[in-house]
């Protein structure tokens, strides 16, 4: 390794040398009292560095090396984190796909990624063989857990780790270096991270090593994160940042793909037992904690992302946290994170505006990012032009250029063309401007307001209707859990329809009264007066990753079927 090496795993040897006994992570193990996990699986920084070196050596001996795309389907566990850092150290390219997405979409993702290696638990191996995932390209198979069955052959992670440890021990005995960190450069591909697919087929975002390193720096500076803290990351990929930030991760006893169903008692047990000082979770998980209502006295920093956090959840969480604690809601996407941040105290001051149709304030751009609003179009924009930018205060598409903005989708050239703009910044330098696919605007104070996804906009004969400006107006109704605006028909002549999900316990007979009240709310504002159709829905479809992004495409089809014969 030399001074130009760029790799998220590069900090591990340093932290391991400085604080070898500090726990890097604690994971649920056996069951303890009252059904709570014992958290008896502990991995120190010294062990994380040493064992990931051994796994890297074993993987290399098996033929998994630099640049090799390697699917990882392993549950949150020490093995997952050891494996990921081993792959980073090797310069291999982990491929991460949400296992809960639709089976056909999952196969499409894996076929597109054209992986050469597959590392997974036995269930994932069974599924790979049964559904033909990556059948044409995979040459190396590693099983995490049971032995490698004859059905899929290959190796086990445990065996490769033993082999790698023996190899490194022999090198140490000969006085040779045993570190496994590859001499990766900033432009080398570090990983393929697939989007959740909440607004279409998931796409593989190409992460280069510089993107991960930039994210670490942006997160550290934006939130004032210091080494030594204790984090409860309820979204596993975010736990990969913790070692690079010098934090201890407490891996929660929950299904990370179903945050809305997490048991708040188990979360509180982990927070209390280990003095958790910071927490990351989706808005769905924040609602779980808010509705549980138990104070969170040890927390100093809470971060929630993936979708706008409802104002009532923000207010409740603030009451449950210590007065000095911070509740951040960063704005970003898989393709670029973080873009902007806002703290709950300021966010609460914008609640009235949000509930009056202003959109959701997502704060000020993170230092290092250039955020601009361009006119709304679904067409490709190959090169940046200043005349793309809309006047201050006007709604348009949010764009961002910065150190963590990725520059392409893997094997999706058309998607790349639609989402990326090339900008000349000097005679010798270009940069990529990422189109977020979100609508928004800047207010007079320089704060960014999110108005909904561009693809979800409703364009009626009377003009544009943005989902995040319309829905909060109706979400204030005491019997409404949430609403979703969808459009039926061709853009420019769409009929706006409001789908409504009622709160638990609201009787069917009450819908007639609720609908009448929603109609009265609609007539109060010119933005909402165009809505004449209100449909009750039993439970909105949501994304698998955060359980928060509403599947509006499915709702639009549902609404179209319900209103067939009524709308022409």
């Amino acid at each position: 390794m030399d001074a130009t090496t760029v790799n998220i795993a590069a900090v591990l040897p340093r932290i391991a040398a400085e604080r070898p006994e500090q726990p890097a992570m604690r994971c649920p193990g056996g069951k303890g009292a009252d059904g709570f996990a014992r958290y008896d699986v502990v991995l120190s920084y010294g062990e994380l560095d040493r064992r990931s070196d051994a796994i890297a050596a074993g993987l290399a001996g098996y033929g998994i090396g630099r640049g090799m795309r390697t699917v990882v389907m392993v549950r949150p566990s020490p093995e997952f984190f050891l494996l990921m850092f081993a792959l980073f150290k090797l310069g291999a390219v982990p491929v991460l796909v949400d296992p809960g997405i639709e089976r056909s979409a999952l196969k499409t993702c894996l076929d597109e990624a054209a992986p050469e290696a597959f590392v997974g638990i036995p269930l994932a191996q069974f599924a790979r063989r049964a559904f033909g995932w990556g059948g044409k390209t995979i040459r190396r198979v590693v099983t995490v857990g049971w032995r490698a069955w004859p059905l899929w052959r290959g190796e086990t992670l445990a065996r490769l780790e033993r082999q790698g440890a023996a190899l490194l021990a022999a090198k140490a005995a000969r006085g040779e270096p045993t570190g496994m960190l590859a001499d990766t450069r900033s432009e080398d591909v570090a990983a393929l991270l697939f989007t959740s697919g909440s607004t279409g087929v998931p796409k593989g975002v190409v992460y280069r090593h510089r993107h991960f390193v930039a994210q670490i720096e942006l997160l550290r500076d934006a939130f004032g994160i210091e080494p030594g803290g204790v984090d409860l990351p309820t979204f596993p990929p975010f736990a990969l940042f913790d070692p690079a930030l010098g934090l201890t991760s407490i891996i929660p006893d929950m299904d990370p793909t179903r945050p809305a169903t997490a048991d708040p008692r188990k979360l509180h047990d982990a927070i209390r037992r280990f003095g958790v000082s910071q927490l990351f979770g989706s808005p769905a998980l924040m609602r779980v904690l808010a509705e549980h209502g138990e104070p969170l006295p040890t927390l100093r920093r809470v971060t929630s992302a993936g979708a706008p956090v409802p104002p009532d959840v923000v207010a409740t969480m603030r009451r449950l946290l210590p007065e000095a604690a911070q509740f951040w809601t960063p704005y970003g996407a898989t393709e670029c994170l973080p873009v902007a941040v806002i703290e709950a105290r300021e966010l609460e001051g914008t609640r009235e505006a949000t509930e009056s149709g202003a959109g959701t304030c997502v704060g000020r751009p993170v230092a290092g990012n250039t955020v601009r609003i361009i006119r709304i179009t679904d067409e490709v924009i190959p090169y940046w032009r200043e005349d793309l930018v809309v006047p201050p205060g006007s709604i348009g598409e949010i764009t961002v250029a910065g150190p963590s903005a990725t520059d392409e989708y893997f094997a999706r050239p058309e998607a790349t063309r639609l989402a990326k703009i090339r900008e000349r910044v000097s005679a010798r330098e270009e940069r990529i401007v990422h189109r977020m696919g979100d609508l928004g605007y800047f207010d007079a104070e320089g704060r960014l307001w999110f108005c909904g996804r561009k693809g979800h906009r409703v364009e009626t004969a009377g003009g544009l209707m943005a989902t995040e400006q319309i829905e909060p107006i109706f979400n204030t109704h005491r019997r409404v859990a949430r609403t979703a605006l969808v459009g039926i028909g061709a853009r420019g002549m769409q009929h706006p329809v409001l789908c409504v999900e009622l709160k638990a316990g609201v009787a069917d007979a009450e819908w007639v009264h609720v609908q009448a009240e929603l109609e009265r709310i609609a007539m109060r504002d010119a933005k909402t007066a165009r809505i004449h159709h209100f449909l009750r829905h039993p439970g909105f479809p949501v994304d698998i990753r955060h359980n928060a992004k509403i599947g509006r495409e499915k709702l639009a089809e549902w609404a179209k079927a319900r209103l067939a014969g009524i709308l022409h």
Side-chain angles (χ1 to χ4, degrees):
M1 183 183 78
D2 62 32
T4 60
T5 297
V6 178
N7 193 307
I8 191 175
V11 299
L12 270 186
R14 176 178 58 78
I15 298 178
E18 295 173 354
R19 302 190 296 277
E21 301 305 317
Q22 177 186 328
M25 62 192 61
R26 298 178 183 272
C27 301
K31 292 296 182 183
D34 300 321
F36 295 128
R38 288 209 301 264
Y39 284 92
D40 49 0
V41 181
V42 184
L43 197 64
S44 70
Y45 269 97
E47 290 173 315
L48 179 60
D49 186 44
R50 183 176 62 255
R51 289 185 62 188
S52 60
D53 271 347
I55 291 173
L59 291 171
Y62 183 48
I64 297 177
R66 189 163 181 165
M68 183 175 285
R69 291 185 295 279
T70 304
V71 174
V72 177
M73 285 195 175
V74 180
R75 292 191 177 99
S77 62
E79 288 76 18
F80 172 77
F81 299 102
L82 287 164
L83 175 63
M84 289 296 294
F85 278 100
L87 292 171
F88 287 140
K89 285 181 174 182
L90 280 175
V93 180
V95 177
L96 297 181
V97 185
D98 279 321
I101 64 175
E102 292 182 4
R103 188 181 303 163
S104 60
L106 183 53
K107 187 178 189 309
T108 298
C109 293
L110 296 183
D111 286 346
E112 282 186 359
E116 299 168 84
F118 189 103
V119 186
I121 60 174
L123 181 61
Q125 300 287 10
F126 274 120
R128 176 183 64 83
R129 287 300 300 268
F131 304 122
W133 298 342
K136 296 180 180 178
T137 58
I138 292 172
R139 298 182 289 108
R140 296 287 185 271
V141 176
V142 180
T143 301
V144 177
W146 308 338
R147 63 184 175 84
W149 282 31
L151 179 64
W152 57 74
R153 300 179 184 174
E155 277 286 0
T156 65
L157 187 67
R159 177 178 167 83
L160 291 179
E161 182 178 353
R162 289 194 299 270
Q163 291 175 345
L167 175 64
L168 295 182
K171 291 179 69 174
R174 295 192 298 268
E176 299 174 7
T178 58
M180 290 297 299
L181 191 64
D183 189 20
T184 52
R185 296 298 195 264
S186 63
E187 293 302 317
D188 290 348
V189 177
L192 295 185
L193 306 183
F194 276 83
T195 62
S196 63
S198 57
T199 55
V201 178
K203 300 180 289 290
V205 180
V206 176
Y207 262 72
R208 305 185 189 281
H209 283 283
R210 63 179 167 86
H211 294 135
F212 279 128
V213 172
Q215 280 186 329
I216 293 298
E217 295 174 354
L218 291 173
L219 290 168
R220 180 190 292 118
D221 295 344
F223 303 128
I225 299 174
E226 297 179 355
V230 182
D231 185 30
L232 188 77
T234 61
F235 181 47
F238 269 73
L240 293 171
F241 292 136
D242 285 353
L245 292 165
L247 305 175
T248 294
S249 295
I250 310 299
I251 307 304
D253 184 12
M254 60 174 281
D255 180 353
T257 69
R258 297 285 186 271
T261 65
D263 185 340
R265 298 175 307 113
K266 292 181 178 180
L267 298 176
H268 275 276
D269 174 68
I271 292 169
R272 195 165 42 241
R273 198 185 317 181
F274 301 109
V276 170
S277 56
Q278 66 178 52
L279 163 72
F280 173 85
S282 73
L285 186 114
M286 293 300 131
R287 183 170 290 283
V288 167
L289 291 172
E291 292 179 350
H292 186 61
E294 184 176 343
L296 298 156
T298 67
L299 291 180
R300 296 292 176 265
R301 181 186 304 106
V302 175
T303 309
S304 185
V309 185
D312 63 313
V313 173
V314 173
T316 302
M317 287 297 295
R318 280 289 309 130
R319 290 195 296 270
L320 298 177
L321 292 168
E323 180 59 32
Q326 297 176 322
F327 184 10
W328 294 95
T329 56
Y331 166 70
T334 305
E335 296 89 337
C336 186
L337 182 76
V339 173
V341 295
I342 188 170
E343 204 276 323
R345 290 169 179 80
E346 183 174 8
L347 183 60
E348 285 188 297
T350 67
R351 178 173 181 174
E352 183 176 348
T354 294
E355 293 177 346
S356 299
T360 297
C361 186
V362 294
R364 293 169 176 82
V366 172
N369 286 334
T370 301
V371 180
R372 291 165 290 188
I373 311 297
I374 64 173
R375 64 174 182 266
I376 301 170
T377 175
D378 295 316
E379 301 301 315
V380 170
I381 304 174
Y383 296 101
W384 180 267
R385 305 187 314 274
E386 288 304 320
D387 64 1
L388 293 170
V389 180
V390 301
S394 300
I395 294 177
E397 182 178 4
I398 302 169
T399 71
V400 58
S404 69
T406 56
D407 43 41
E408 67 175 312
Y409 296 109
F410 187 78
R412 290 285 192 89
E414 183 58 27
T416 298
R417 284 192 291 270
L418 284 168
K420 311 295 180 179
I421 308 172
R422 306 191 74 85
E423 181 181 19
R424 177 72 65 180
V425 293
S426 71
R428 296 184 177 181
E429 184 183 358
E430 276 190 351
R431 66 177 177 179
I432 291 295
V433 178
H434 175 65
R435 300 169 67 177
M436 293 294 289
D438 292 333
L439 300 180
Y441 64 93
F442 278 109
D443 65 14
E445 298 178 44
R447 297 179 303 185
L448 182 63
W449 291 71
F450 169 71
C451 298
R453 293 289 291 168
K454 182 178 70 172
H456 294 155
R457 71 189 187 276
V458 176
E459 293 184 350
T460 72
L464 172 72
M465 300 179 73
T467 57
E468 198 62 26
Q469 289 188 307
I470 301 298
E471 293 161 8
I473 296 173
F474 297 97
N475 291 345
T476 58
H477 192 287
R478 64 191 184 282
R479 291 185 174 86
V480 169
R482 55 186 170 179
T483 58
L485 177 72
V486 298
I488 298 176
R491 282 232 166 94
M493 295 297 291
Q494 285 181 307
H495 297 278
V497 179
L498 193 75
C499 303
V500 182
E501 183 180 291
L502 298 179
K503 289 182 177 178
V506 177
D508 292 344
E510 294 186 70
W511 168 240
V512 175
H513 303 290
V514 172
Q515 181 176 355
E517 290 168 350
L518 293 177
E519 290 172 352
R520 284 195 289 272
I521 291 174
M523 295 307 298
R524 297 175 190 164
D525 192 298
K527 287 193 294 291
T528 55
R530 284 170 272 169
I531 303 175
H532 304 296
H533 302 282
F534 299 80
L535 299 178
R536 181 186 177 183
H537 193 280
F540 291 168
V542 294
D543 69 297
I544 185 65
R545 180 172 294 176
H546 299 292
N547 286 180
K549 296 177 181 177
I550 299 169
R552 297 170 195 275
E553 290 83 2
K554 293 181 179 179
L555 280 182
E557 290 300 317
W558 172 83
K560 181 179 179 180
R562 288 285 303 271
L563 295 173
I566 299 175
L567 298 179
H568 302 285

